[in-house]
Structure formats: structure tokens, C-alpha cells
Amino acid sequence: MSKPIQGFFGYARIEPGELSMITFTEVNKWFKELHVLKDINLHVNQGEVVVVCGPSGSGKSTLIRTINKLEPINSGTLIVDGMDLSDKKADINRLRAEIGMVFQQFNLYPHLSVLKNITLAPIKIRKLSKKDAESDAMALLERVGLTEKRGAYPTQLSGGQQQRVAIARALAMKPRIMLFDEPTSALDPEMIGEVLYVMKDLAQSGMTMMVVTHEMGFASEVSDRVIFMDEGEILEEAHPKDFFKNPKHERAQQFLKEVLSPMH
Amino acid sequence: MFKYQFDWSVVLSGQYAEWLLSGIKVTFQLSVVSIIFSFLLGLLIAVMRMSNVRPVRWFAHGYLEFFRNTPLLVQIFFWYFGSYKILPMVINDWLNRTNFEFAAAVIALTIYTSAFIAEDIRSGVRSIPKEQMEAARSSGFSYIRSMQYIILPQAVRITVPPLINQFLNLTKNSSLAMTIGVMELTYQARQVESYTFKGFEAFTAATLVYVVISMIIAGLMTLYSRKVLNPIRAK
Ligand SMILES: Nc1ncnc2c1ncn2[C@@H]1O[C@H](COP(=O)(O)OP(=O)(O)OP(=O)(O)O)[C@@H](O)[C@H]1O
Ligand SMILES: [Mg+2]
């Protein structure tokens, strides 16, 4: 048995186990006539890090947004952390509190300071005292290297700093799953590294993560699996080593050529 | 030849100045109380107008159309003369024991102005990117809580200039309360005029006071929005 080591974010490290966190079974979704998710079958265990990639418009964002029901599905079943999302009586707000989400455009609350951005949900939803929430928040800010920005407002931060605050904000809820939708796509190249660094540490601490990204370095270093989507379908699902060495599907080969080419 | 003797002492000292002063006090009370209530009611109606529960949304829509499109004076008369018929006895009794004219004026001004405020707030909310609601919902806030903590605080900051405008309108509109006998500034100026025939002085004084009250309210709002509500788009 592997000994639990303390992860970077203070979570006990959990080896990818058999505990199922996300299960898609024959999931379909339409936007009006547009069939955006086609018979999706996907299984993510606790502690797994899954990277989702694919061309623009292939349905990557829609796929991860179904997991916290930002997008409802039209058919099939989707079970997240033991909760069936098609169940009308399911308490979706309770589930969302367990799932952190990080967006391409950060979406920090511009009227609140960095510290308040992080403590708002823990205080109002988790019912933490202000003092406890703030000391948690300060610990997280230290992890992401932004303690001195506690009093700043989002517009006063660089993109990379905003994204690190957004990650800290999501982690403050002590989520069981973290979803990332192209977290580095809106960043200037010199800021991508600082965000990926935080994400890698999180991945290594045993957090269950689904990450839409074209950062293939991140995928090969820390992910357990890569999923390639095209036109609403999962065309390929493989270990990153296999995916990068010999992608089976022609469209995946084409896609990899494009994202890995130095001209890109 | 028409000869008019100006006599400013009438409005600057003595009994008549006291009348005007008490009028100023009532106008100020009437405005401030109605501003607070109309803002809160406006917020509520704006949220209802955007609700995804259809009857709630329809009710708010009807409310807005009805109260924005009927004259304020009619609404004041309605609450003063007509509310006996529809309000429960207990409320009527209580209103009679307090100051019924004042209460009727507050109700009319509050409801009328709240309809305009609700529309201003709603367009403020519309200008908040939808990703803000998404971020709030995805961390587990309900729709109402997301509104309360994330959307409305931002919308209200954006809405400050039109809100100041509504509050100034309300202050000016409060002069209509004289028609039901609220002894506010215009009422008192009228009183002074009929006792002294110094109408020019009395109404000049009243006019100046309205200007000053408006400036105070606009100044306080601006100060509040600068000091307390921090700027959100500092770009
Ligand atoms: N709210 C919506 N209403 C209608 N169509 C939508 C909506 N959201 C997405 N779509 C469409 O669904 C398809 C999949 O979109 P999605 O955002 O999931 O793609 P993606 O893989 O994330 O693309 P990108 O890499 O550009 O972010 C696209 O054709 C998109 O135009
Ligand atoms: Mg996307």
C-alpha cells in the first residue's frame, strides 16, 4: 500500500482508485438542431487527471459544463460524485459546491477584493466564520504566490495572477472535483507557466481533474488520460504516452500536428 | 402701474420663516424615506421581472407598466382617498393614528418611483457579463443568492447615475404631496403666500431650497458611490 503523502495543497495524496467520480453513459446533448454531444461514454475515477482536447467547436466546453449542470443534458445518464444529474430532485447547488470550476476568462468578481473573492462562497455556503475563511484563503494565496495581493481588486492584477486567484477561489470550497476550461488560453505566453505550475501541483496532490487544454506539455506530464473530441464525439481516449506517440484516429493526428507545430 | 414691494424679511425670519423651515424638514423626510423604500422595492421588482418563474415575471411586468404609465397625482389621490376601500382595517387604523397624509404620500412616491428604478436596475443587470452569473452558480450559489452577492452589487454600481436622477425626480415630485395636505415645502410656501401675499419671495425661497436639497442628495450619492462602492472597471 502506498503511504499517503501530503500534497502541495494540503490534501492527502490519493492514488487513482476505483472510486468513481464522473460517469457518462450514452449522453447526448443538442443546442436546438445542433447535436453537440453524441453518445458520450466516459468514466473518471477519484484522483484521475483527464485532459480533453480537440478542434474548436468540437464540444469540449459543453462536455465539462454538463458535469456541474451549467449545461443540462438531453438524454443518457450522468452521475457525478454519486448524484444522478437527470434526477429532477437532485440538489444541484449542493453538488456544485463540491465541484470547482476555472474559466478561460477567469470570471473573478470585479467588485470584491482578492480576499473577498476567495472567502465569499466558504462564508455564505459552507457557513465558515469570517476568521476561518480568511485564514484558509491566506493559506491558498500563499500556495499560489499571491499573499501580497489580498487587498487588490481583480482589474489591478495581470491575467496570470487573476487565474491563480480564480484557482484559489475554487479550491477554497475544498472541492472533490476541479474542472478547467482552457485556463491558459486567454493568457500572455509568459504567464502560462505560473498557472500550469499551480495546476500541476494540484494534479499531483490527488485532485480529480478534468482539464480542457491545448497545453500538451501539461497533458503528457501530469494527466492520466487524454480524450480527443471532434464534432461532439469522443474519437480517442488514451494514455498520454500512447496518444502523443501514435494517435490512432486520422483527425487526432492532424490535430496534434497543428498544436505541436512550432509555427502555431 | 403695477408696483410690487419686495420684502425678503418675510421668508428669512419670524413666524413665516418657521413655516418654511418646517416645510423643508417634511420635504426632506418625505424624500429620504421614499428614496430608501423605492430603492428596496425597485430592487425587488427588478429581480421579480427577471425571474424565470413566469407568473412572478408577469406580475412584475404588469406592475411596471401600470405604475409608470399612470400620473403620479392620480396615484397620490388613490392612496389617500381610495386606500380605505382596499387596505385591511388594522392598517387603516394604524395609518390614521400616525400621519395618514404623510404615509399616503410615501406609499405613492415609493411605488411610482420604484417602477422606474426597477427598469434602471434591470438594464444595469443586463450589462453584467453572463459569465458572472455562471461563476456564482458554479460555486453553488442559488439564483437569488447569486443576484444578492454578485450581480446586484455590480449592477447597482453601474446604475448610480440613473439612480441619482430618479431620486432627484422623487424629491421634486414630493411637492405633489401638498395636494393631500402634507405640510411639506410647497404647501408651506403656499401658506406663506396666502397670509402675506409675498408669493414671489416665498416661492423663490422654496425653489432655492429644492435646488439645495437636490444638490445635497446628488452629492451624498456621488460621495457614497466613490467612497463606499469601489470602482469596478478601473481599466
Ligand atoms: N449556448 C449555446 N447555444 C447554441 N450553440 C452553442 C452554445 N454553446 C456552444 N454552442 C455550439 O456548440 C458547439 C460546441 O461548442 P463548445 O463550446 O462546446 O466547443 P469547444 O470544443 O469548447 O470549442 P472551443 O475550442 O472554441 O472553445 C459549437 O458549434 C458551438 O457553436
Ligand atoms: Mg470551449
Short mmCIF file of all heavy atoms in Angstrom, two decimals, chain A residues 55-62 65 104 181-182 212, ligand 2:
data_model
loop_
_atom_site.label_atom_id
_atom_site.label_comp_id
_atom_site.label_asym_id
_atom_site.label_seq_id
_atom_site.Cartn_x
_atom_site.Cartn_y
_atom_site.Cartn_z
N PRO A 55 -10.48 20.09 -31.80
CA PRO A 55 -10.59 21.37 -32.50
C PRO A 55 -11.69 22.26 -31.94
O PRO A 55 -12.55 21.79 -31.18
CB PRO A 55 -10.93 20.95 -33.95
CG PRO A 55 -11.10 19.49 -33.96
CD PRO A 55 -10.78 18.93 -32.63
N SER A 56 -11.66 23.52 -32.32
CA SER A 56 -12.65 24.48 -31.86
C SER A 56 -14.05 24.04 -32.30
O SER A 56 -14.24 23.59 -33.42
CB SER A 56 -12.33 25.85 -32.45
OG SER A 56 -13.28 26.77 -32.01
N GLY A 57 -15.00 24.14 -31.38
CA GLY A 57 -16.37 23.79 -31.70
C GLY A 57 -16.67 22.30 -31.60
O GLY A 57 -17.77 21.86 -31.93
N SER A 58 -15.69 21.52 -31.09
CA SER A 58 -15.92 20.08 -31.05
C SER A 58 -16.77 19.65 -29.85
O SER A 58 -17.20 18.50 -29.78
CB SER A 58 -14.57 19.35 -31.02
OG SER A 58 -13.79 19.79 -29.94
N GLY A 59 -17.01 20.57 -28.91
CA GLY A 59 -17.88 20.24 -27.78
C GLY A 59 -17.15 20.04 -26.46
O GLY A 59 -17.75 19.56 -25.49
N LYS A 60 -15.90 20.45 -26.38
CA LYS A 60 -15.11 20.26 -25.16
C LYS A 60 -15.71 21.03 -23.99
O LYS A 60 -15.90 20.48 -22.90
CB LYS A 60 -13.66 20.73 -25.38
CG LYS A 60 -12.99 20.13 -26.60
CD LYS A 60 -11.58 20.65 -26.77
CE LYS A 60 -11.48 22.14 -27.07
NZ LYS A 60 -12.05 22.54 -28.37
N SER A 61 -15.98 22.32 -24.23
CA SER A 61 -16.55 23.12 -23.14
C SER A 61 -17.90 22.56 -22.72
O SER A 61 -18.18 22.42 -21.52
CB SER A 61 -16.75 24.57 -23.59
OG SER A 61 -15.52 25.16 -23.89
N THR A 62 -18.72 22.24 -23.69
CA THR A 62 -20.04 21.70 -23.38
C THR A 62 -19.91 20.43 -22.54
O THR A 62 -20.63 20.26 -21.57
CB THR A 62 -20.82 21.40 -24.68
OG1 THR A 62 -20.76 22.56 -25.52
CG2 THR A 62 -22.26 21.07 -24.38
N ARG A 65 -18.98 21.32 -19.02
CA ARG A 65 -20.04 22.11 -18.39
C ARG A 65 -21.27 21.29 -18.04
O ARG A 65 -22.11 21.73 -17.24
CB ARG A 65 -20.42 23.29 -19.27
CG ARG A 65 -19.32 24.37 -19.30
CD ARG A 65 -19.47 25.28 -20.51
NE ARG A 65 -20.75 25.96 -20.53
CZ ARG A 65 -20.98 27.13 -19.95
NH1 ARG A 65 -20.01 27.75 -19.32
NH2 ARG A 65 -22.16 27.69 -20.01
N GLN A 104 -11.84 30.15 -18.78
CA GLN A 104 -10.85 30.79 -19.64
C GLN A 104 -10.68 32.27 -19.30
O GLN A 104 -9.57 32.78 -19.25
CB GLN A 104 -11.32 30.64 -21.09
CG GLN A 104 -10.35 31.18 -22.11
CD GLN A 104 -10.78 30.84 -23.54
OE1 GLN A 104 -11.72 30.09 -23.76
NE2 GLN A 104 -10.08 31.38 -24.50
N ASP A 181 -11.64 24.98 -17.94
CA ASP A 181 -11.97 25.16 -19.35
C ASP A 181 -10.97 26.13 -19.99
O ASP A 181 -11.10 27.34 -19.85
CB ASP A 181 -13.40 25.69 -19.51
CG ASP A 181 -13.87 25.63 -20.96
OD1 ASP A 181 -13.07 25.24 -21.83
OD2 ASP A 181 -15.04 25.97 -21.21
N GLU A 182 -9.99 25.59 -20.65
CA GLU A 182 -8.92 26.36 -21.29
C GLU A 182 -8.38 27.46 -20.36
O GLU A 182 -8.42 28.64 -20.70
CB GLU A 182 -9.44 26.97 -22.60
CG GLU A 182 -9.99 25.90 -23.54
CD GLU A 182 -9.86 26.30 -25.01
OE1 GLU A 182 -8.90 27.01 -25.33
OE2 GLU A 182 -10.70 25.86 -25.80
N VAL A 212 -9.82 21.01 -19.98
CA VAL A 212 -9.80 21.27 -21.42
C VAL A 212 -8.59 22.15 -21.67
O VAL A 212 -8.47 23.24 -21.10
CB VAL A 212 -11.07 22.02 -21.87
CG1 VAL A 212 -10.98 22.34 -23.38
CG2 VAL A 212 -12.32 21.21 -21.58
MG MG C 2 -14.52 25.86 -25.35
#
